[in-house]
Amino acid sequence: MKKIYLLVLISIFISITKVQAYDFTAPDVNGNTIYYNYLGGDSVEVTFMDYNYNSYNGDVVIPSTIDYGTSSFLVKRIGEYAFNLCRTLNSIEIPNSVTSIGTTAFVECYSLASFNVAANNPNYCSIDSVLFSKGQTILIKCPAAKHGAYSIPNTVISFGYTAFAYCSNLTSVSIGSNVSEINDDIFFACTKLNSIIVESTNPNFCSVDGILFNKDCTVLKTFPSAREGKYVIPNEVVNINGYAFNHSKLTNITIPNSVTNIQRNAFHNCTNLNSIILPDSLIELGNGAFINCTNLKSVNIPSKITEVSSWTFGYCSSLQSMDIPMNITTIGDYAFYLCSNLDAVVCRHKTPPLIGTDAFKYISENAVLLVPYDSINAYKNISEYANSFAEIKGFSDIEDITDTTATLKWLPDTAVTQYDINVYTNGTHFAQYLVDGNGQIKSSQRFAPSIYHQKLDTTTSSTEVFVISLNGLSAGTDYNYTIDGTNSQSASIYHEEGSFKTLNEGEEGLFDITSDDPRKQARKILYNGQIYILRGEKVYTLQGQEVE
């Protein structure tokens, strides 16, 4: 993640004690304390007081030279983070001596209204209170308090890091014909921005209905944050740029099947977005793609994605369930961090995906992880899974076994359009069923089962399972089964398998009792009209008392 997230990391990992970050101080002409660091020789830079930042306020005038002790120093640089989080800083005067300005020097200076650069500064200038390179080819920083419409001078070719970030009162920006580079996060948190207009002769970029694209509209660069309601992304779009929809007020976004890449933080802080369907065409989902989408309740992971990247769904506090398909081999750091209502996760890969630091930290304390039945122990043996979930259970299983019947249950995958279910005994093909993606049986061989839907128990929220009843089985017989699923392109994307044994005559049902595999631990038996529990060679009453 870029430096704009260093503030988040600092707040987590650095103690909020006042750690001095300067070598000495001196007042400016207005009495403001300015903090300096030695650069070597007779040069110094302006820096910040400590790692709480917010070191300056009001109107700051940086001198070209500063006397300290018996020495005189030339002020050559404004350092990284020097004016970071100075939310009551109103203006800043930059002398002719400053020849270097840190890229993050003015982050989140919400009240900053003007830059004033000395006319004889060799590297920088200010026009209409905006900071530029000397030749006005680079717009370095627009003061965050600037409001209304702003037209970028036609001399500008590129922009500084987060040039318009936090300009929360800008309503429109016009881009000239010579601009050839636009950073991903240039309009970060411009919450009142309603339109971006590009000069029609610009060879690199264009605007359609006030939305910023590259010239051929294959890359959606920036969607103005102030717009509300719904938006359908054009079919020409292949890439959704980093931060493209940051702070958007949209409630619904339709993504076409043309899109293959969603870059980092593309939907950062889209707090009105409640659901989104990602297309099958998607092959990349960048870091933090949906970070802090606090109202997001439903999202899918397409079959071509192999990694849930770091912070992808961090702080998505309304997300209640997540289906992680078989194609996912890696779950990155903090991928579901602070998804506080996430109580049901389905992970379909038999081999547990590599999992990063705190991937499921601070999810629901009652969260259940559903995994392939034969992989329960593999997931339990990985601390990041075991410590994050209240329970790890199998999602494909045989239940209600008698001497002639059994019930096969499995969790459907939303990408599967057809399931091929096969049952075997002693290597012989016993039965086959074809079931569509809605749980409706299409054909069967050997016997005709009933198939229907039911809800899982309350610990797995409202996740739906498919249930198929197997009839006409033989008593005391070993069976195994496979479930294979294909998508609309007939590609194999789902596989489950398992085994079970029917009861001997005289046995009744199953008794689930403290086991990863209850089928092997206990059975109910009927004896003299009473039901008892048989565990190994011992018999118990239903109340747990051993029968002699």
Side-chain angles (χ1 to χ4, degrees):
M1 305 182 76
K2 288 184 72 174
K3 290 179 181 176
I4 203 161
Y5 279 104
L6 283 178
L7 298 182
V8 175
L9 296 178
I10 286 168
S11 69
I12 295 174
F13 297 115
I14 292 183
S15 170
I16 309 300
T17 56
K18 292 195 172 185
V19 178
Q20 182 172 307
Y22 60 91
D23 294 326
F24 69 93
T25 68
D28 72 354
V29 294
N30 293 328
N32 295 299
T33 299
I34 298 182
Y35 303 89
Y36 295 98
N37 275 334
Y38 298 113
L39 293 177
D42 63 351
S43 298
V44 295
E45 69 170 3
V46 176
T47 187
F48 48 89
M49 179 175 66
D50 56 49
Y51 286 97
N52 289 309
Y53 301 113
N54 193 23
S55 305
Y56 303 94
N57 57 66
D59 302 307
V60 173
V61 179
I62 300 174
S64 58
T65 60
I66 187 71
D67 294 329
Y68 182 70
T70 59
S71 301
S72 182
F73 297 95
L74 199 64
V75 181
K76 297 286 290 183
R77 172 177 166 81
I78 299 175
E80 298 291 347
Y81 307 109
F83 293 89
N84 220 16
L85 296 173
C86 294
R87 291 167 178 166
T88 57
L89 176 70
N90 297 326
S91 67
I92 183 164
E93 292 191 21
I94 300 173
N96 63 347
S97 60
V98 170
T99 57
S100 175
I101 298 176
T103 56
T104 57
F106 301 101
V107 174
E108 293 190 60
C109 298
Y110 297 150
S111 299
L112 182 60
S114 69
F115 291 96
N116 185 9
V117 181
N120 58 345
N121 187 296
N123 291 353
Y124 302 103
C125 70
S126 56
I127 300 173
D128 191 23
S129 299
V130 178
L131 180 62
F132 293 88
S133 62
K134 188 63 174 181
Q136 301 171 45
T137 57
I138 304 172
L139 191 159
I140 296 170
K141 190 68 178 176
C142 179
K146 201 167 189 65
H147 62 275
Y150 179 69
S151 294
I152 296 169
N154 209 37
T155 54
V156 171
I157 296 173
S158 61
F159 300 91
Y161 171 69
T162 64
F164 291 93
Y166 300 101
C167 290
S168 58
N169 289 302
L170 277 181
T171 56
S172 70
V173 174
S174 297
I175 297 174
S177 59
N178 291 316
V179 170
S180 60
E181 295 180 37
I182 298 178
N183 306 331
D184 286 357
D185 43 12
I186 183 173
F187 296 111
F188 185 82
C190 294
T191 53
K192 292 183 181 177
L193 187 64
N194 196 56
S195 67
I196 303 168
I197 307 301
V198 180
E199 172 63 46
S200 61
T201 56
N202 187 299
N204 303 299
F205 304 101
C206 72
S207 57
V208 178
D209 190 28
I211 301 161
L212 180 62
F213 295 87
N214 69 338
K215 192 63 176 181
D216 62 3
C217 292
T218 57
V219 180
L220 195 160
K221 296 284 291 180
T222 302
F223 186 93
S225 297
R227 297 193 182 183
E228 300 178 354
K230 301 178 180 180
Y231 179 63
V232 178
I233 295 174
N235 288 328
E236 297 89 347
V237 173
V238 176
N239 294 328
I240 298 176
N241 213 54
Y243 298 92
F245 288 89
N246 83 84
H247 291 78
S248 171
K249 296 177 176 63
L250 293 172
T251 56
N252 184 275
I253 301 170
T254 301
I255 304 176
N257 269 318
S258 57
V259 172
T260 60
N261 297 79
I262 295 177
Q263 304 295 339
R264 62 192 178 88
N265 301 94
F267 298 94
H268 179 280
N269 211 60
C270 292
T271 55
N272 290 342
L273 188 65
N274 52 53
S275 68
I276 195 164
I277 298 175
L278 301 179
D280 291 338
S281 55
L282 196 65
I283 60 175
E284 180 182 349
L285 189 61
N287 291 353
F290 293 94
I291 191 170
N292 208 44
C293 292
T294 54
N295 199 42
L296 186 66
K297 296 179 177 66
S298 174
V299 63
N300 64 301
I301 300 177
S303 60
K304 294 177 183 177
I305 299 293
T306 60
E307 179 179 1
V308 181
S309 302
S310 299
W311 293 103
T312 297
F313 299 104
Y315 302 100
C316 290
S317 55
S318 295
L319 199 62
Q320 295 180 355
S321 64
M322 176 57 64
D323 193 331
I324 300 175
M326 285 184 63
N327 40 285
I328 296 298
T329 58
T330 303
I331 300 173
D333 298 342
Y334 311 104
F336 296 93
Y337 186 83
L338 255 173
C339 293
S340 53
N341 284 300
L342 185 62
D343 62 7
V345 175
V346 179
C347 204
R348 298 185 178 275
H349 209 300
K350 280 186 172 294
T351 301
L354 295 174
I355 185 168
T357 302
D358 293 338
F360 292 98
K361 187 76 169 180
Y362 302 124
I363 61 174
S364 170
E365 62 181 12
N366 297 316
V368 174
L369 177 62
L370 297 161
V371 302
Y373 190 84
D374 293 340
S375 302
I376 291 174
N377 286 334
Y379 281 86
K380 285 184 175 181
N381 288 335
I382 298 173
S383 61
E384 283 288 345
Y385 291 109
N387 296 337
S388 299
F389 293 90
E391 188 175 8
I392 299 178
K393 302 169 60 173
F395 64 70
S396 168
D397 200 9
I398 293 285
E399 296 182 359
D400 304 324
I401 300 174
T402 71
D403 53 358
T404 59
T405 64
T407 301
L408 172 60
K409 295 184 177 182
W410 75 98
L411 283 177
D413 187 321
T414 55
V416 172
T417 56
Q418 178 173 288
Y419 296 95
D420 183 1
I421 302 163
N422 291 275
V423 182
Y424 302 86
T425 178
N426 297 323
T428 301
H429 196 187
F430 184 73
Q432 181 185 35
Y433 313 93
L434 295 181
V435 178
D436 67 21
N438 296 317
Q440 301 300 312
I441 196 158
K442 298 172 66 175
S443 66
S444 64
Q445 297 182 28
R446 182 66 179 173
F447 48 81
S450 61
I451 187 161
Y452 57 94
H453 299 80
Q454 72 177 35
K455 299 295 182 182
L456 289 177
D457 58 62
T458 54
T459 60
T460 55
S461 187
S462 59
T463 309
E464 191 174 49
V465 303
F466 288 169
V467 182
I468 188 168
S469 296
L470 307 176
N471 304 296
L473 305 176
S474 300
T477 302
D478 291 308
Y479 293 89
N480 60 314
Y481 65 89
T482 59
I483 307 173
D484 292 283
T486 54
N487 62 15
S488 56
Q489 287 79 43
S490 299
S492 179
I493 60 172
Y494 181 102
H495 177 77
E496 266 299 303
E497 59 185 63
S499 61
F500 65 96
K501 184 176 183 178
T502 53
L503 305 187
N504 295 314
E505 291 185 16
E507 292 180 321
E508 278 194 3
L510 291 180
F511 189 83
D512 188 352
I513 184 168
T514 60
S515 170
D516 288 339
D517 187 353
R519 296 168 296 185
K520 300 177 182 178
Q521 295 299 311
R523 300 186 187 280
K524 289 182 183 178
I525 60 171
L526 185 64
Y527 181 73
N528 289 337
Q530 298 292 321
I531 296 176
Y532 295 89
I533 302 164
L534 177 65
R535 293 190 66 192
E537 297 180 354
K538 294 186 177 181
V539 179
Y540 300 85
T541 67
L542 291 177
Q543 290 73 37
Q545 296 177 330
E546 185 175 353
V547 178
E548 297 294 331

